Amino acid sequence: MRSRLLATLMVVSGLFWSVLLWAEDNEKPLDTPVAELKIANRSIMVFRATLLGETPETRVKRAKSAINEALEDADDLRVTLDSIQNSNLVLLGAKRAFIVSPRDVDATEYESVQQAAEAAAEKLRQVVAETQEARSIRLILRSLAATALATGIFIALLWCMAYLRRRLLRKLPDLMLRHSQALKVGRVQVIDPNYLYPLASRVLGMLRWLVVLLLTYEWLGFVLSQFPYTRPWGESLNNYLLDVAGYLLHGILGAIPGLGVVVAIFFIARGITAFSRRVLRRIAVPGTFSWLNQETLQPTQRLTSLAIWLFALAMAYPYLPGSGTDAFKGLSVLIGLMISLGASSVVGQAAAGLILTYTHTLRPGEYVRIGEYEGTVTELGMFTTRIRTGLGEVLTLPNSMITGTVTKNYSRTVQGPGYLVDTVVTIGYDTPWRQVEAMLLEAASRTPGILEDPPAQVFQTALSDFYPEYRLVAQAIPSQPRPRAVLLSLLHANIQDVFNEYGVQIMSPHYLGDPIEEKRVPKDKWFTAPAQESKKL
């Protein structure tokens, strides 16, 4: 009778638990906070559902109490599973530890309730084994010995690293001096050891601290893993380091195909650039294209290369590592915004430089007048143009200013090398114009540097109210014998001398009438002191 009664009670109890679990499983899930079951610093299970009227927090407290009581009563405990309806009962010895229901399972981590229950049971078995280990004096002493050995190796490695660093720093100056002397471009040494040594010492210091941190991290993880209570912390440190290393390795391996495409695009663009340079050099042969010659060849090659490399950069951009991240996109937008806001004047200067280049407005070596500035063009750049005046000054003019003002070129229409020299005088109507022209031509012939072929010419450019205006135009050779400013000074001096010799007054530029006394200098007064010393000139 008694055995039948026990069997009946067990059947009824099983039916009761089955009905309750079935009701809990089919009950609509409530939005309750989850609770984690941790025993001896080790995570066993995360409860997410209210089961048999108990919230996850209450289930954690009950499971902790049952597990701790079982661990205190016995050492050799078996962890088993018993399935009830859709749930699994985790047993620790003969006692119930906790129940794993379907609503406790994280679908992203486990595929079924059985799999989640087996994982929780395995962790609980590990807790039982570590509890037994913590109660063993022999195992504790072995862990202490392993910790002492690891600490000794750790200290020895730190000492060796410091010793190697000191030895390397002592030999570093000689090594840098020997190898830096070999790196020369012509006779110029590329790297100065005095500036390289601080950089190398800082790099070695950074590497040293990086190795120290890595060794400390590994030592700490090993020591924590030797003791049952701190073992979860050591495992988490080691797992984190492995995760970081795996993440970096995965990122590097994942970036290799994209980098391969970028390298291929680089070499293709380089080959196309070299091919385009050769084609443009052949096209620049005189008689092929009027807009492409030896003057415009170099800027055309630069523009072509720039266009090719910009296109290559646009093609390679999606394959760069990190190009799809928000940080990379934000940085690209920031750089584009900075360029669009700050490069308007730069783009304008570059466009003006292209206009000057392809319209052949200026050429290096020509003598020009740009606004109020006059001199020889020494450099025609993309953004600025440099001219050297006759007084030895070097002026840098923005290209946008040159395109916005009138440019007078004194070298473009001359025969051969050289430039035009012109000056204007106004003489009264009482002086015959033929005499004025002859005197101006004689002054030009006296001036060294003015060419006889083509001959100088005099033009009457205006018949004003009180005087006609005469303009002397001649051609001179650059820097032979003097710059244009000196040449003009000599020409003006000779004009004064010739007019004084023939008794003609120069009243330019504002001639109103003849004065009471003639405004001219007799020849016997040309060298009045202190000009006597310069008489031989």
Side-chain angles (χ1 to χ4, degrees):
M1 290 292 293
R2 185 173 297 176
S3 60
R4 291 181 180 179
L5 181 60
L6 290 174
T8 303
L9 289 174
M10 291 181 65
V11 172
V12 172
S13 177
L15 291 174
F16 176 74
W17 280 102
S18 299
V19 171
L20 288 178
L21 292 174
W22 178 85
E24 289 287 343
D25 292 341
N26 289 275
E27 184 180 317
K28 185 177 180 180
L30 300 176
D31 188 12
T32 56
V34 299
E36 183 181 10
L37 173 61
K38 295 184 70 174
I39 305 295
N41 280 338
R42 188 171 295 280
S43 177
I44 306 298
M45 181 70 190
V46 177
F47 296 130
R48 294 178 171 82
T50 299
L51 187 63
L52 303 177
E54 294 180 350
T55 61
E57 186 177 357
T58 304
R59 293 174 61 191
V60 167
K61 292 179 180 179
R62 184 180 294 277
K64 279 185 177 181
S65 177
I67 294 172
N68 290 330
E69 183 179 354
L71 292 175
E72 291 177 359
D73 293 342
D75 292 336
D76 189 11
L77 296 174
R78 292 184 58 198
V79 179
T80 57
L81 294 177
D82 189 7
S83 60
I84 303 176
Q85 290 291 332
N86 295 330
S87 302
N88 280 270
L89 182 65
V90 180
L91 300 175
L92 184 58
K95 294 183 179 181
R96 173 174 65 92
F98 52 86
I99 299 174
V100 181
S101 69
R103 284 184 289 148
D104 290 327
V105 179
D106 186 3
T108 61
E109 187 175 359
Y110 302 105
E111 297 179 357
S112 62
V113 180
Q114 182 68 25
Q115 186 178 1
E118 290 177 355
E122 184 62 30
K123 294 177 182 178
L124 188 56
R125 293 189 188 98
Q126 192 172 0
V127 169
V128 173
E130 290 173 349
T131 303
Q132 295 175 356
E133 182 182 348
R135 295 172 182 175
S136 174
I137 300 299
R138 183 179 60 82
L139 296 178
I140 294 297
L141 292 176
R142 189 178 66 178
S143 299
L144 291 174
T147 300
L149 179 61
T151 304
I153 295 175
F154 172 66
I155 295 174
L157 289 176
L158 292 181
W159 183 86
C160 291
M161 185 176 59
Y163 175 76
L164 290 176
R165 180 175 178 270
R166 290 193 299 268
R167 290 288 302 273
L168 185 59
L169 287 178
R170 283 198 296 265
K171 294 184 177 181
L172 190 60
D174 296 335
L175 290 174
M176 288 190 302
L177 182 62
R178 188 185 314 124
H179 292 287
S180 61
Q181 290 178 351
L183 296 175
K184 291 183 179 180
V185 177
R187 296 183 178 180
V188 180
Q189 187 171 338
V190 178
I191 300 176
D192 188 355
N194 295 327
Y195 296 101
L196 186 60
Y197 180 78
L199 177 62
S201 62
R202 290 190 181 95
V203 171
L204 288 177
M206 292 177 61
L207 291 176
R208 173 198 175 192
W209 284 110
L210 181 62
V211 174
V212 168
L213 290 175
L214 184 60
L215 290 176
T216 304
Y217 190 93
E218 286 293 330
W219 171 81
L220 183 61
F222 178 80
V223 170
L224 293 177
S225 300
Q226 297 304 308
F227 303 95
Y229 187 79
T230 59
R231 188 169 296 158
W233 298 341
E235 292 175 353
S236 63
L237 290 177
N238 294 329
N239 291 334
Y240 177 75
L241 185 61
L242 291 176
D243 291 341
V244 171
Y247 174 77
L248 294 176
L249 182 61
H250 178 74
I252 293 173
L253 294 177
I256 289 176
L259 291 177
V261 175
V262 172
V263 172
I265 293 175
F266 169 79
F267 283 106
I268 292 173
R270 184 179 178 183
I272 295 176
T273 301
F275 177 74
S276 65
R277 287 178 178 273
R278 289 194 294 269
V279 171
L280 289 174
R281 280 198 297 268
R282 292 193 176 186
I283 295 178
V285 175
T288 305
F289 291 101
S290 60
W291 59 271
L292 187 61
N293 49 35
Q294 295 300 322
E295 296 178 3
T296 59
L297 176 60
Q298 185 175 4
T300 304
Q301 288 178 339
R302 291 178 180 177
L303 290 175
T304 305
S305 300
L306 179 62
I308 293 172
W309 284 109
L310 287 177
F311 182 76
L313 179 61
M315 294 294 294
Y317 177 83
Y319 300 99
L320 294 175
S323 60
T325 60
D326 294 336
F328 206 105
K329 294 178 181 178
L331 182 62
S332 302
V333 172
L334 178 62
I335 294 175
L337 183 62
M338 292 172 62
I339 293 175
S340 62
L341 292 178
S344 58
S345 60
V346 176
V347 174
Q349 297 289 352
L354 293 177
I355 293 173
L356 293 177
T357 300
Y358 286 98
T359 56
H360 307 290
T361 304
L362 303 174
R363 293 191 182 99
E366 293 182 339
Y367 198 94
V368 297
R369 183 177 182 85
I370 303 171
E372 60 180 1
Y373 306 107
E374 183 176 305
T376 303
V377 178
T378 59
E379 181 181 348
L380 182 60
M382 180 67 72
F383 304 102
T384 59
T385 297
R386 289 187 175 89
I387 63 174
R388 185 180 66 250
T389 66
L391 302 178
E393 302 170 332
V394 177
L395 306 179
T396 302
L397 306 179
N399 288 336
S400 60
M401 187 202 79
I402 300 175
T403 56
T405 188
V406 176
T407 300
K408 184 183 293 186
N409 197 319
Y410 295 99
S411 303
R412 186 60 56 85
T413 59
V414 300
Q415 298 178 7
Y419 51 82
L420 294 178
V421 177
D422 65 331
T423 187
V424 177
V425 294
T426 54
I427 308 298
Y429 283 105
D430 56 345
T431 303
W433 64 267
R434 295 177 180 84
Q435 182 186 13
V436 175
E437 289 187 5
M439 288 188 295
L440 290 175
L441 293 176
E442 183 177 349
S445 64
R446 292 184 183 182
T447 304
I450 292 182
L451 300 178
E452 296 181 359
D453 185 22
Q457 292 181 295
V458 178
F459 300 93
Q460 298 186 41
T461 57
L463 297 176
S464 302
D465 293 338
F466 304 99
Y467 50 78
E469 183 178 286
Y470 300 91
R471 186 181 188 91
L472 172 63
V473 181
Q475 182 175 339
I477 301 176
S479 302
Q480 202 177 34
R482 294 181 175 90
R484 189 173 188 272
V486 179
L487 186 67
L488 279 174
S489 178
L490 292 175
L491 178 61
H492 292 158
N494 289 326
I495 290 174
Q496 295 180 66
D497 290 345
V498 172
F499 274 66
N500 285 326
E501 289 176 3
Y502 291 101
V504 177
Q505 302 180 79
I506 301 177
M507 304 296 293
S508 61
H510 301 294
Y511 178 87
L512 297 177
D514 294 329
I516 298 176
E517 295 182 0
E518 293 185 353
K519 299 298 180 182
R520 66 184 184 86
V521 180
K523 189 174 183 179
D524 57 351
K525 295 183 179 181
W526 283 3
F527 302 103
T528 304
Q532 292 178 354
E533 297 180 0
S534 61
K535 181 177 181 180
K536 59 183 179 180
L537 299 177

